[in-house]
Amino acid sequence: MLAAPLSIESVGAFEALEKFPAEEYALPFFKEKGYVRKFCPKCETYFWTLNPGQETCGEARVEGCATYTFIGDPPTRRSYTLREMRETFLSFFERHGHTRIKPYPVVARWRDDIYLTHASIIDFQPYVTEGIAPPPANPLVIAQPCIRLVDITNTGPTFGKYLTIFEMGGHHAFNYPDKEVYWKDQTVRYHHAFTTEELGIKPEEITYKEEVWSGGGNAGPCLECVVRGLEVATLVFMQYKVVGDQLIKLPIRTVDTGYGIERYAWLSQGTPSAFHTIYGELLDKIMEMAGIQVDKDLLEKVAKVSAFINLEKTAGLMDARRKVAAIVGVDAYALDRVLSPVENAFAVADHTKCLSFILSEGVVPSNIQEGYLARLLFRRIYRLLRSLGIPNRLYDIFDMQIRYWSSDYPHLLEMRDDIIEMLHVEEEKFKETISRGDSLVKRITGELKSKGIKQVPIETLIELYDSHGLPPEIVKETAEAEGLNVEIPENFYSLVAEKHMQTTKPSEEVGYEKWIESEVAGLPETEALYYKDQYMTSFEAKVLKVFKGQYVVLDRTCFYPEGGGQPADTGFLMFDGEKAEVVDVQKIGKVIVHNVVGEKLPREGSTVQGFINWDRRYALMKSHTATHVINAAARRVLGQHVWQFGTQKGVESSRLDISHYRRLTREEVQKIEILANEAIFRNIPVEISWMPRTEAENLYGFRLYQGGAVPGRELRVVKIGDWEVEACAGTHVQSTGEIGFIKIIHSERIQDGVERLEYSVGINALKAIQKNEELLWRLSEILNAPLEKLDKTAEKLVKDLKEANAERRRLVKEIAKLESLGVGVKTEAEAIRQIGDIKLVIRDFKDNIDVNRMVQTANEIIKKDEGAVAVFYGADGKTARIMVMAGRRAVERGVNAGEIAKEASKTIGGGGGGKPNFAQGGGPLTEKLQEAVEKAEEILKKQIKNG
C-alpha cells in the first residue's frame, strides 16, 4: 500500500520543490568524520566538506564554483583504464556483500515508457522499485552501459563531462518494511571507502552536494560526490512516487547510486579529456585520419574550464568560446578553429560507439521509435565525418569500435556483419534523402519568401528533419543559396532527440478503459480457465455483474480476451433456457468482461454455461504458435537484428511485422517459409510455464520481450523446444505439428525499417495455394500456353508489347509533327487566334482522345512558337477533358495554364489545375465543352491584359 501524500507544509508541491528538509542530509557519517554543512553562493546549493574555509561547492558546473584541477594532476593512488576501473568498482562491492549482476541491454524492451536504458535503476523500474517483483539480488552491484541522447549537443565541447554512451556503476539496495538492507548513512560510507581506501583519494578532496533527484516516476533526496571539480557519483535515496504535483511514500526505499565509471577513470588519468581516457589509441587513429594535430598544453588549459559549458543554456557555441578564450587568454575565433575539429573527433568517437551498441541489439534505423534515434545518430555522425573530410572512413571507424569493445561486450563482434550492412543501407538512404531534399527545400523557401519571411523558422527545420530526414546543415546550404537566412540552434539534435526519447500510448485506449474501469472496480480477479486448459470448450460460471445492457462479468471463463494481437473468442452463454451470443471479450485490469448480445441477459448471482466457438479458437491457436515459429525462422534467415514489431492473428490469414533494413526478396521469403515448415514437421513440443520475471530473464535473456513490455511479477513463458522462446499471454497448440502447414501469401514494406509477412496455416494455407493455382490455370487458358511454358509465353508477350508501344509512340510523334504544321488529313476542328503577341491554338479532339497525342502535338506547337498557347479538348466517354499548354514567352507575359484549366473545368462540372506552363482538367458535363473553351479564352485574354 502507498502511504498518504507528503503534505505541502513538510515538503511542498513537487514542481516547486527545490530541496528536501536539511535533516534528510544530516547523516551520522558527516558528524563522525567532521564534515561541515555550507552554502554555495554561486550555484545556491548546500554542501558538506572537511574544509571549513571552502567557500563554494567545488563542482565545476557553474562558472565561479570551481575548475577541473585534476587535469594533469590526478588525485588517485594510480591510474586506471576504463576496464580496470569497472572491475575495481564491481570487485569492491562484491567484497562488501553485493552480488554482481550482468548488465542489461541498452534497448529497454522490458519498459513500455522509454526506448533506451539511461541509468542502472532503469533495469529495476517499475517492477522491483514498486514491489511487484523481487530484485535479482539484494544488495546488488552492476556496471550498466547507458545511453542519453539528450546530451548529444554537449558531447564534444565539454571534453567528456557529457557523453551519449557511458557506463553507470550502480550498487543498489531495496529496503522493505520488514527487511532493512542499508540506507543513506551506509551508502555514503561505501562511497567514501571506495574513493579513499580503494582509489587513494584524500578525504578532504571529496565534497558532497545536496540535491533533489527525480526520474522514471520516482524521486528522493540525493548527494552528488565531487572530487577536484568533477562530479563522479550521485547517491540517490529513492523513497517517493511522483503523482501529479505530489510525492507519495513508496513501500520500498531504494538505494540508487550512479558512479561514473568513465569519470573515475578520467579522474585517475588526468588526461585533457575523458575521450582520451575512454578511447586511447582509437581516438588517436581518428585524429590521424582527419589530420588533426593537437596542442596538448592548450587542450589542458581549455579542459580545466570546459566543465561549465552547457550549450543548452548559452546563446551558442561562440558564446561559450568567448568565455573560455577570455580565461585561457587567446582569441575566441582562433580558439574555435583549433577546437572545432578536435571536438568533432571526440563526438565521432562517442557517437560511433553509441550507435554500434544500439545496432548490435537489433535496432533498425527508421523514422519511428528507437529506430528514429539510431537514424539521428547516424546522420549526425555522417555530418561530423564530412566536416572532418573523412566520410569515406565511416566503416573503418565502426569496425575499430566493434573490435575495441567486443572483449567486454562479445555480442558486438557477433553482430558485426549485421551492423556494417545496416550502415551501408542507411548511407544509401541518406544520400537519396539529400538528393531529393534540394527541390523540397527550394519549394519551401519559395513559400516562405512569398510570405515575406527572411529566416527559416526552427519549427520548419525540425519538421524537415522529422518528416523528411533532412539535417539542418543540408537545409542551410540550399536555403541560403535561395536567399534565406538559417540559424541552427546549437542544441538542435538534443531538441529532436528529447522529443523522441519516450513512448506514448494512444489516448483512445485510455479513454475506453477509464469509463469501464469504474464499472468493474471492486470486482475480484476473473479466473482464466483458458490458461488451465487451452483445449477447454465449455464451462460453468457464476454471474458477478451485468451492466450497460450488454456487458457480463463472470467469476471464471475460458473465453480468451483480446490481447497480444490475438482476437477475442466468440461463442455463447446458456442460462434459464435462454441463449445469448458472446461477440467480444476484453480484459480490464484483472477482470474479464464479456460483450453479450441477446434478447435476455443472465441475472447477477445466477449460474451460466459458456461455450466457445472451438473451430475459431483452434484456428487462432495454430496461427499464434505459427507467429512464433515464423518470427524465429525470419531471425535465422535475415539476422539477429530481427524483432517482432507487430502482429495480428486471424482465422483465414495472419500477419507478422518484423524489423529489417531492406525489402525482403522472394528468395528470403521462401527460405523463411521453408524453415518455418521444417519446424512444423519436427513436431516440436510447445511448453508453457509461469516463471518469476528475474528468473525468466536470467534463463532466456531479453529476447523474451518480442511482443513488447510484459507487466507483472511473473512471466508466462512459451517455449518451442530449441526453436523459440517468448513471454506471451496468448493461447497455443501443444506441438508445432498441429499447425499442419504454413504458407506465406504476401510480403510488403509497411514503413521504413518494417517488413510485413502475411501467412495462412493449415487448411487455409492449402486454400491459398489452390487460389494461386487457379489463377495460373486461368492465365494458361487465356494465353493458350501450358503451365510449364507460361513464363516464356509471358516474356514474349511483354517483349512484343514493349515493341508495339515504342512503335506507337513513334507514330504519334510523327502525326503530332504533321498536325502542328497543318499538313495531312485532319478531322479535328481547329481555330487559331492572335491575342496581342500571343497565338492561341484551339483544337477539338472530339471523341478520339489520346492524351499522349494531345501532349505531343501541343509540344510541337510550343517548340515552333514559344509565344503560343494550346487549348485542346474532347470527350472521353462520359468525361469531358481539357488540356492547356503555354510556351516560355507566353508564361513570361503572365499566362498561367493552371488557372485557365482550373476555371474552365468548373464549367464542365469538375476540377483541374497544374503548373503555369501545363495543366489539365475534366468534368462530367460534356455538353458544356464549347462553353468551357470560351471560358478558357476569356481568362487568357485577362491574363495577357494584366500581364
Side-chain angles (χ1 to χ4, degrees):
M1 291 287 291
L2 294 176
L6 248 63
S7 67
I8 299 298
E9 289 74 21
S10 62
V11 175
F14 181 71
E15 289 183 358
L17 183 65
E18 295 182 356
K19 64 180 184 298
F20 283 93
E23 54 266 27
E24 289 278 3
Y25 305 93
L27 307 178
F29 168 81
F30 290 143
K31 184 176 181 181
E32 178 186 314
K33 295 295 183 181
Y35 273 81
V36 293
R37 185 174 188 250
K38 303 195 72 176
F39 181 75
C40 178
K42 295 291 184 180
C43 61
E44 299 182 337
T45 57
Y46 286 93
F47 63 95
W48 295 82
T49 178
L50 286 172
N51 306 308
Q54 184 175 330
E55 296 300 324
T56 64
C57 66
E59 184 187 2
R61 179 188 296 178
V62 176
E63 190 175 357
C65 283
T67 60
Y68 287 160
T69 56
F70 69 91
I71 303 293
D73 184 22
T76 54
R77 186 181 297 115
R78 48 158 287 207
S79 67
Y80 295 81
T81 63
L82 179 59
R83 181 179 292 117
E84 289 171 338
M85 185 58 75
R86 181 195 307 124
E87 184 55 39
T88 299
F89 169 79
L90 293 170
S91 297
F92 172 85
F93 282 98
E94 274 189 311
R95 294 197 306 272
H96 288 79
H98 294 66
T99 300
R100 184 186 299 211
I101 301 298
K102 290 182 179 179
Y104 281 48
V106 297
V107 182
R109 290 187 170 95
W110 63 94
R111 299 279 297 260
D112 61 3
D113 56 339
I114 57 174
Y115 296 122
L116 302 173
T117 305
H118 58 260
S120 61
I121 197 62
I122 293 299
D123 303 345
F124 313 110
Q125 287 176 319
Y127 308 112
V128 175
T129 57
E130 294 187 11
I132 299 169
N138 196 13
L140 61 84
V141 64
I142 187 171
Q144 175 64 49
C146 299
I147 294 176
R148 289 186 186 172
L149 296 186
V150 292
D151 293 331
I152 195 169
T153 300
N154 283 310
T155 299
T158 56
F159 279 57
K161 179 181 178 181
Y162 294 101
L163 305 168
T164 63
I165 184 166
F166 58 94
E167 293 186 36
M168 180 177 286
H171 63 92
H172 300 287
F174 305 93
N175 298 287
Y176 296 85
D178 59 346
K179 183 185 178 183
E180 180 88 2
V181 182
Y182 64 83
W183 192 226
K184 289 187 275 190
D185 191 69
Q186 185 57 51
T187 302
V188 178
R189 290 178 189 274
Y190 278 140
H191 174 268
H192 212 68
F194 175 71
T195 51
T196 58
E197 298 169 18
E198 193 72 27
L199 302 183
I201 299 172
K202 295 176 182 179
E204 58 269 24
E205 298 262 29
I206 308 166
T207 300
Y208 293 92
K209 286 180 62 178
E210 297 179 6
E211 290 289 354
V212 172
W213 177 91
S214 69
N218 300 134
C222 78
L223 291 167
E224 293 180 353
C225 313
V226 181
V227 178
R228 295 201 183 179
L230 181 65
E231 180 195 342
V232 288
T234 303
L235 314 177
V236 177
F237 307 106
M238 187 191 300
Q239 53 190 314
Y240 300 108
K241 183 180 179 69
V242 181
V243 180
D245 63 350
Q246 293 182 320
L247 298 179
I248 298 176
K249 278 272 191 180
L250 286 166
I252 299 171
R253 292 171 300 129
T254 301
V255 172
D256 170 23
T257 63
Y259 287 54
I261 303 299
E262 286 90 350
R263 290 191 183 188
Y264 272 110
W266 184 19
L267 186 76
S268 77
Q269 291 189 22
T271 54
S273 79
F275 302 101
H276 290 84
T277 298
I278 300 165
Y279 298 100
E281 291 182 0
L282 194 151
L283 177 63
D284 292 340
K285 289 177 181 177
I286 294 174
M287 296 273 203
E288 185 180 336
M289 289 176 184
I292 299 171
Q293 294 183 339
V294 181
D295 182 337
K296 187 179 178 183
D297 291 337
L298 176 62
L299 216 55
E300 285 192 355
K301 289 178 182 177
V302 172
K304 289 177 181 179
V305 296
S306 64
F308 60 78
I309 296 174
N310 187 331
L311 298 183
E312 312 291 335
K313 298 178 181 179
T314 63
L317 183 59
M318 280 312 300
D319 180 58
R321 286 275 193 265
R322 292 185 188 94
K323 289 183 178 180
V324 173
I327 296 171
V328 299
V330 296
D331 176 72
Y333 290 97
L335 183 65
D336 184 64
R337 286 193 295 273
V338 172
L339 291 184
S340 286
V342 174
E343 292 167 353
N344 287 347
F346 288 166
V348 165
D350 171 270
H351 296 356
T352 49
K353 177 189 177 184
C354 185
L355 186 55
S356 295
F357 272 69
I358 292 175
L359 297 182
S360 74
E361 293 187 7
V363 174
V364 174
S366 67
N367 292 328
I368 54 170
Q369 300 181 4
E370 61 265 38
Y372 180 96
L373 301 173
R375 175 162 289 171
L376 181 147
L377 261 176
F378 175 85
R379 296 188 173 183
R380 181 167 163 84
I381 290 166
Y382 203 82
R383 182 188 69 80
L384 290 168
L385 291 175
R386 283 181 61 184
S387 71
L388 292 172
I390 53 171
N392 59 316
R393 306 307 296 267
L394 173 73
Y395 303 101
D396 296 330
I397 295 171
F398 270 96
D399 199 52
M400 289 191 302
Q401 290 279 19
I402 292 167
R403 298 185 188 283
Y404 191 82
W405 298 105
S406 60
S407 57
D408 296 319
Y409 302 96
H411 68 282
L412 286 166
L413 195 57
E414 293 167 7
M415 288 291 290
R416 179 195 173 277
D417 291 347
D418 281 34
I419 293 171
I420 297 300
E421 179 65 13
M422 282 192 273
L423 291 172
H424 275 294
V425 172
E426 193 58 20
E427 183 181 20
E428 290 171 12
K429 289 180 179 178
F430 190 33
K431 287 179 177 177
E432 289 172 8
T433 297
I434 292 173
S435 64
R436 291 196 310 267
D438 187 62
S439 58
L440 174 63
V441 175
K442 284 180 178 177
R443 179 175 63 78
I444 290 175
T445 53
E447 292 173 358
L448 292 172
K449 286 166 70 176
S450 68
K451 297 175 183 177
I453 299 172
K454 298 181 179 179
Q455 179 167 312
V456 178
I458 178 63
E459 295 79 14
T460 302
L461 292 177
I462 292 176
E463 172 65 21
L464 283 168
Y465 188 86
D466 264 355
S467 301
H468 305 282
L470 284 171
E473 296 81 10
I474 303 298
V475 176
K476 182 180 176 73
E477 290 176 12
T478 305
E480 291 188 343
E482 294 294 308
L484 278 188
N485 186 35
V486 178
E487 293 292 336
I488 305 172
E490 297 291 347
N491 64 339
F492 177 85
Y493 289 97
S494 294
L495 290 171
V496 173
E498 190 167 12
K499 181 180 174 184
H500 292 268
M501 285 299 289
Q502 293 188 318
T503 66
T504 54
K505 289 184 177 180
S507 58
E508 302 83 59
E509 291 183 16
V510 177
Y512 169 76
E513 290 180 0
K514 288 299 179 186
W515 74 261
I516 205 167
E517 277 176 7
S518 61
E519 293 284 354
V520 301
L523 293 178
E525 179 178 355
T526 308
E527 183 182 356
L529 297 175
Y530 49 83
Y531 282 156
K532 292 188 174 182
D533 181 3
Q534 296 178 108
Y535 290 78
M536 181 185 293
T537 61
S538 63
F539 65 99
E540 191 173 273
K542 181 181 179 181
V543 179
L544 298 183
K545 186 171 184 178
V546 179
F547 60 96
K548 299 284 186 181
Q550 67 182 100
Y551 297 104
V552 176
V553 179
L554 307 175
D555 65 338
R556 59 207 298 259
T557 185
C558 73
F559 281 94
Y560 179 81
E562 181 182 14
Q566 180 173 330
D569 284 336
T570 59
F572 58 90
L573 299 178
M574 296 290 293
F575 53 92
D576 301 330
E578 300 288 342
K579 180 178 179 181
E581 187 179 359
V582 177
V583 296
D584 187 28
V585 187
Q586 297 292 327
K587 189 172 185 180
I588 310 300
K590 294 184 178 181
V591 178
I592 297 173
V593 180
H594 305 75
N595 190 346
V596 179
V597 176
E599 290 185 6
K600 291 185 179 181
L601 295 184
R603 293 173 288 103
E604 292 184 1
S606 65
T607 299
V608 299
Q609 286 185 309
F611 300 86
I612 68 169
N613 181 336
W614 172 246
D615 289 342
R616 184 174 185 276
R617 156 74 82 79
Y618 192 45
L620 290 170
M621 287 166 63
K622 289 188 283 188
S623 293
H624 204 144
T625 306
T627 300
H628 290 215
V629 170
I630 295 171
N631 191 41
R635 193 162 59 248
R636 285 166 169 80
V637 172
L638 304 174
Q640 293 299 308
H641 63 275
V642 169
W643 282 78
Q644 178 180 306
F645 193 83
T647 179
Q648 183 61 50
K649 292 84 180 177
V651 174
E652 295 184 358
S653 66
S654 303
R655 68 173 187 261
L656 169 67
D657 300 335
I658 57 173
S659 56
H660 189 51
Y661 47 83
R662 285 192 192 276
R663 264 305 277 121
L664 290 176
T665 64
R666 183 178 60 192
E667 291 76 14
E668 287 169 337
V669 172
Q670 289 175 343
K671 285 180 181 178
I672 293 169
E673 188 176 76
I674 289 170
L675 272 183
N677 281 294
E678 285 177 358
I680 290 171
F681 301 151
R682 284 171 55 192
N683 198 27
I684 306 169
V686 179
E687 304 169 78
I688 299 176
S689 60
W690 289 90
M691 299 179 69
R693 175 180 292 275
T694 301
E695 182 184 334
E697 290 173 349
N698 287 338
L699 190 58
Y700 299 117
F702 292 87
R703 279 279 177 192
L704 281 168
Y705 301 112
Q706 284 291 326
V710 180
R713 180 186 183 90
E714 292 188 322
L715 300 181
R716 184 170 180 266
V717 177
V718 178
K719 183 175 182 291
I720 306 175
D722 60 354
W723 189 254
E724 178 69 317
V725 59
E726 295 182 25
C728 178
T731 58
H732 292 269
V733 294
Q734 292 179 336
S735 66
T736 58
E738 290 184 56
I739 298 170
F741 178 63
I742 290 174
K743 177 60 186 174
I744 298 176
I745 56 179
H746 179 65
S747 78
E748 64 176 316
R749 167 146 288 193
I750 60 168
Q751 59 193 46
D752 195 23
V754 181
E755 293 288 306
R756 171 166 291 172
L757 293 169
E758 292 186 26
Y759 52 94
S760 294
V761 303
I763 195 69
N764 287 303
L766 177 61
K767 288 179 179 178
I769 292 172
Q770 290 176 335
K771 183 179 179 182
N772 286 338
E773 284 182 342
E774 178 65 25
L775 288 173
L776 286 173
W777 280 109
R778 285 182 59 199
L779 191 59
S780 174
E781 291 171 0
I782 292 169
L783 298 180
N784 192 27
L787 283 176
E788 62 271 17
K789 293 184 179 180
L790 204 55
D791 56 340
K792 298 296 183 185
T793 303
E795 285 175 3
K796 184 177 185 304
L797 279 172
V798 170
K799 182 182 176 184
D800 292 347
L801 183 61
K802 285 181 178 178
E803 290 174 353
N805 282 335
E807 177 63 12
R808 178 178 175 279
R809 286 192 297 271
R810 187 186 67 79
L811 291 172
V812 166
K813 196 169 184 178
E814 287 296 321
I815 292 170
K817 284 181 179 178
L818 292 171
E819 289 181 336
S820 68
L821 293 170
V823 178
V825 179
K826 298 193 298 178
T827 59
E828 295 83 4
E830 179 178 286
I832 299 175
R833 311 196 210 292
Q834 195 71 32
I835 305 173
D837 58 347
I838 300 299
K839 181 169 73 175
L840 171 61
V841 179
I842 301 173
R843 181 168 293 178
D844 182 2
F845 279 72
K846 299 188 181 297
D847 298 327
N848 185 25
I849 284 204
D850 182 329
V851 174
N852 189 37
R853 180 182 166 196
M854 291 168 74
V855 172
Q856 288 284 0
T857 304
N859 269 327
E860 291 298 328
I861 291 172
I862 300 303
K863 276 183 189 177
K864 293 177 177 58
D865 185 351
E866 291 188 337
V869 175
V871 176
F872 292 171
Y873 64 100
D876 181 6
K878 295 182 180 180
T879 304
R881 300 191 182 279
I882 188 166
M883 186 199 81
V884 184
M885 186 179 290
R888 180 183 59 81
R889 190 160 53 81
V891 172
E892 289 173 354
R893 283 279 285 110
V895 175
N896 188 320
E899 289 180 7
I900 295 171
K902 180 181 177 181
E903 294 302 319
S905 296
K906 290 178 182 179
T907 307
I908 51 177
K915 297 179 180 180
N917 64 330
F918 179 74
Q920 299 180 78
L925 306 179
T926 56
E927 68 277 9
K928 292 194 174 185
L929 256 176
Q930 193 60 45
E931 190 179 329
V933 173
E934 291 169 2
K935 182 69 174 177
E937 185 175 352
E938 177 188 330
I939 296 167
L940 175 64
K941 289 177 179 177
K942 288 181 181 178
Q943 289 179 345
I944 295 170
K945 181 180 179 182
N946 295 332

